Amino acid sequence: MKLLEERILKDGKIFPGNVLKVDSFLNHLIDVDLLNKMGEEIYRLFKDCGVTKILTIEASGIAIAILTAQFFNCSVLFAKKSKTSNLSADVYITSVKSYTHNATYRVQVAKSYLKKEDKVLIIDDFLANGEAMRGLIDLIEQAGATLVGCVAAVEKGFQKGGDDLRAKGVRVESLAIVDSMEDGKIVFRKQ
Ligand code: 5GP
């Protein structure tokens, strides 16, 4: 998506550890107009798939998930991170290794909010090694719901998450794919 790529080039900042910071418009200070347009684009891609629910993970995926959900007219469910080990019969739980925080979280959703009849679209801000998406897919599988596809605002194409998921037959759509960000230069994949 050209608009997003241009904004990344203008305001994105490269940090050590292959971290791209976009917190001046995507996941800290939020440019609602841009995210709204991203939501419209995601709707264009998946509008014929019968999406009944959007699933994301707290906190960075929530804004884009909500702005997208307006177009699908569906609810957003966000998986909650918790470091406690309280097991409850009422939740589906999985674990996710965080790319940016070097910690493993247990993430959970209430069973009552994810049903086997649901057709679920996963949305997150970034796709790197694919841990977050894998955890969310696990929650969908536990519920017996249907995965429609995965959307990342930004995929780092030089990390393996996106390609691993595609190799498993998952439909992955990324609004911008960064193929490299060496020497301070961000190069996007032509899509
Ligand atoms: P993965 O689970 O695919 O390895 O990493 C994706 C998750 O880590 C996302 O939820 C995102 O919050 C975070 N993440 C991974 N890489 C980056 C990055 O370059 N920049 C930012 N801001 N977050 C990232």
Side-chain angles (χ1 to χ4, degrees):
M1 186 182 172
K2 201 154 184 341
L3 197 62
L4 176 61
E5 291 182 356
E6 285 169 359
R7 190 62 181 271
I8 293 169
L9 290 177
K10 181 168 162 276
D11 291 330
K13 297 202 170 35
I14 300 167
F15 277 68
N18 280 324
V19 171
L20 177 61
K21 277 237 173 192
V22 287
D23 60 1
S24 64
F25 60 96
L26 188 65
N27 52 22
H28 188 32
L29 183 67
I30 291 169
D31 182 334
V32 175
D33 186 49
L34 175 66
L35 267 65
N36 209 37
K37 291 187 171 104
M38 290 161 64
E40 225 174 338
E41 172 64 6
I42 295 166
Y43 179 68
R44 188 185 67 78
L45 293 166
F46 286 95
K47 66 176 180 313
D48 299 324
C49 299
V51 172
T52 63
K53 202 156 278 168
I54 291 176
L55 178 64
T56 188
I57 184 164
E58 71 175 357
S60 308
I62 296 176
I64 177 170
I66 288 175
L67 285 162
T68 306
Q70 319 168 85
F71 297 99
F72 287 96
N73 199 15
C74 71
S75 303
V76 171
L77 179 64
F78 68 89
K80 294 191 168 201
K81 290 174 182 163
S82 112
K83 280 190 175 160
T84 64
S85 55
N86 287 349
L87 283 179
S88 153
D90 303 328
V91 292
Y92 298 117
I93 300 183
T94 192
S95 48
V96 171
K97 192 165 173 290
S98 163
Y99 185 90
T100 40
H101 294 111
N102 195 25
T104 298
Y105 294 94
R106 300 169 73 81
V107 306
Q108 58 188 58
V109 295
K111 286 185 178 172
S112 55
Y113 298 146
L114 192 55
K115 298 289 189 192
K116 69 175 188 327
E117 302 77 31
D118 273 321
K119 291 186 170 182
V120 186
L121 181 63
I122 293 175
I123 299 183
D124 202 4
D125 60 342
F126 272 88
L127 174 54
N129 292 323
E131 290 291 325
M133 296 281 186
R134 260 194 296 279
L136 295 173
I137 291 171
D138 183 29
L139 296 174
I140 292 170
E141 285 173 350
Q142 289 181 48
T146 304
L147 172 67
V148 169
C150 294
V151 175
V154 186
E155 175 178 343
K156 291 185 290 180
F158 54 90
Q159 294 174 321
K160 63 183 178 46
D163 290 339
D164 282 358
L165 288 169
R166 291 183 185 98
K168 285 188 184 135
V170 176
R171 180 176 173 194
V172 180
E173 302 279 0
S174 301
L175 301 184
I177 303 182
V178 175
D179 260 344
S180 72
M181 42 188 214
E182 278 157 25
D183 304 324
K185 189 168 182 288
I186 298 172
V187 178
F188 294 105
R189 187 174 302 175
K190 297 231 178 331
Q191 301 196 72

